[in-house]
Amino acid sequence: MSKKKGLSAEEKRTRMMEIFFETKDVFQLKDMEKIAPKEKGITAMSVKEVLQSLVDDGMVDCERIGTSNYYWAFPSKALHARKRKLEVLESQLSEGNQKQANLQKSIEKAKIGRCETEERDMLAKELSSLRDQRQELKAEVEKYKECDPQVVEEIRQENKVAKEAANRWTGLKSIPPSLLQCCIILTFLEIFLCSWSLF
């Protein structure tokens, strides 16, 4: 025994629109929740969702009057919407045809001075080989970019700034190297003597 299939969202929308077009009446949500399951087989649970999707798409009008929402859609509105859409599509088609004609004219105009000759073919091949050679040279230059004098100078400047910052933070620049060595030796001696005194 097979299960009964439910309606797809598009079928529900179509059937809901049929209710509006057949009755040519104005409904509240509660009215639609009663009518739709009986006449068109749309479940009462999905009526609100389907109705809202139709309102969002502009196929059904909705107006709040007092505390109630009223919904309606008339066949003439759908007809006018289709006519407007058809006019827009026709204007886009004519614009597209006009562009195509203009481009075709441009192509024909460009072909006038371009006869296929042996010299033209030779120049086209030479141009292609020069473009390839240019790309190879660009790749070669890119390989040696790190040896570029400007790049090297920038790296030196960055190193200098980093060194100055490190010295500033650690305070090592103001201490002479000989004194620094003595301080390190004294620190090690203190640690050594302290470790002996603990025993």
Side-chain angles (χ1 to χ4, degrees), residues 126-136:
E126 185 180 344
L127 177 63
S128 176
S129 68
L130 288 173
R131 283 183 177 159
D132 292 341
Q133 186 179 2
R134 180 176 176 229
Q135 289 298 325
E136 290 171 9

Side-chain angles (χ1 to χ4, degrees), residues 51-73:
L51 198 54
Q52 188 59 47
S53 74
L54 291 170
V55 170
D56 292 342
D57 291 344
M59 296 173 73
V60 173
D61 292 312
C62 175
E63 190 69 40
R64 186 173 190 86
I65 301 172
T67 58
S68 303
N69 286 331
Y70 291 90
Y71 300 91
W72 69 92

